[in-house]
Amino acid sequence: LGSSFLWLRIGQGSPSAIYAQALRKVEIGSLRQGCDLALGLASGGGMDQEIAVVFDGKPEERIMVNQAVITLASPVFKSMLAQDMAEKENGVIQLKGKDPEEFKVLMSFLMPASSRQQKITEENVDFLLCWTDEYSIEPIRAECVEFIKKLPPTVECVLQAHAFGIKDHLDFCVKHLLEKGQSDWGRCLGDAELVKILFARSVDVLKDFRPRLTYPVVTRKGFGLGF
């Protein structure tokens, strides 16, 4: 569109609350979803309809959410409420084994009135990635991945990138740490697949340092490069 902003003229009244979430999505590259959300909220279709989200069947942990917001943000929630499932019939979504406090944070990123003030942090990025992965909320997931890639490479970042399938960042962190002399990989050694990746990347880095006669070193704590 030649601009990072999307202007929609739908209905009357102040557009700020209606467009806030749409503009957030446009800025992070999800134009179609941003348009859908703005149109859905502004048209009034389901705008005032709320559904209950219950955690482990505990009534005291019931959270009411806007149906238009949650179904437009997540195709998984949309499917749960659109098909002939218990959620559609009862107007209640059951989330077993989920943390209601985490869900509240997720919803604060989705609701138009609050989304612009929310920030991805080291404290919330892991659980937000879990939620957005499971419920296919791609724009927020993209923000989480972007945030992770800006963190300094550490062993914890290696575990994080591996856990969430961020392959390019995993490769970057492992290579960076190997070149800096990292040899203690801690909890990484508890994952057989990750151990294979570490060894393979150490061999790759070895090739780059061949004139210096480096060689991979295997110790009880992990992998490193010897000189």
Side-chain angles (χ1 to χ4, degrees):
L1 293 177
S3 171
S4 61
F5 295 96
L6 170 68
W7 294 94
L8 297 174
R9 191 174 183 82
I10 308 171
Q12 299 179 353
S14 173
S16 58
I18 296 176
Y19 300 153
Q21 179 70 358
L23 290 176
R24 179 184 182 85
K25 291 178 180 297
V26 170
E27 288 170 358
I28 60 176
S30 184
L31 176 59
R32 180 175 180 179
Q33 192 171 5
C35 292
D36 288 345
L37 182 53
L39 288 167
L41 292 175
S43 66
M47 183 175 179
D48 298 322
Q49 184 175 351
E50 291 192 327
I51 57 175
V53 179
V54 178
F55 301 82
D56 294 323
K58 299 177 181 178
E60 67 274 13
E61 294 182 344
R62 176 181 298 243
I63 298 175
M64 303 303 295
V65 299
N66 183 287
Q67 182 171 336
V69 170
I70 198 170
T71 56
L72 285 166
S74 166
V76 177
F77 283 127
K78 180 178 181 179
S79 178
M80 292 169 69
L81 291 165
Q83 299 178 8
D84 293 328
M85 302 174 69
E87 288 84 0
K88 177 182 178 181
E89 182 178 348
N90 302 325
V92 176
I93 294 178
Q94 297 274 356
L95 296 181
K96 296 182 179 180
K98 301 297 184 183
D99 187 331
E101 294 305 315
E102 292 181 359
F103 181 75
K104 289 178 182 178
V105 174
L106 175 67
M107 287 305 302
S108 70
F109 278 85
L110 299 178
M111 290 301 296
S114 60
S115 64
R116 300 296 295 171
Q117 286 73 48
Q118 303 311 306
K119 301 293 184 182
I120 306 292
T121 67
E122 292 187 51
E123 288 71 35
N124 64 27
V125 67
D126 279 354
F127 73 74
L128 283 173
L129 270 172
C130 288
W131 281 93
T132 55
D133 265 347
E134 183 171 353
Y135 295 97
S136 300
I137 307 175
E138 292 303 325
I140 307 301
R141 185 185 188 282
E143 284 191 79
C144 290
V145 171
E146 181 181 358
F147 175 84
I148 286 175
K149 288 184 176 182
K150 292 179 180 178
L151 297 175
T154 63
V155 171
E156 287 301 313
C157 287
V158 170
L159 288 163
Q160 192 177 46
H162 180 61
F164 295 109
I166 312 173
K167 187 178 182 300
D168 58 337
H169 189 55
L170 172 62
D171 290 342
F172 168 78
C173 288
V174 171
K175 182 178 180 181
H176 176 87
L177 292 173
L178 282 169
E179 291 177 347
K180 293 296 182 180
Q182 182 73 32
S183 60
D184 185 354
W185 294 91
R187 292 189 297 121
C188 294
L189 303 184
D191 187 310
E193 182 181 351
L194 188 50
V195 169
K196 292 179 182 178
I197 293 172
L198 290 175
F199 187 78
R201 295 298 175 270
S202 69
V203 173
D204 292 339
V205 173
L206 166 65
K207 294 176 182 178
D208 295 336
F209 284 86
R210 185 174 296 172
R212 297 169 60 184
L213 299 177
T214 58
Y215 53 92
V217 175
V218 182
T219 69
R220 291 182 179 181
K221 292 184 177 181
F223 300 91
L225 295 177
F227 294 86

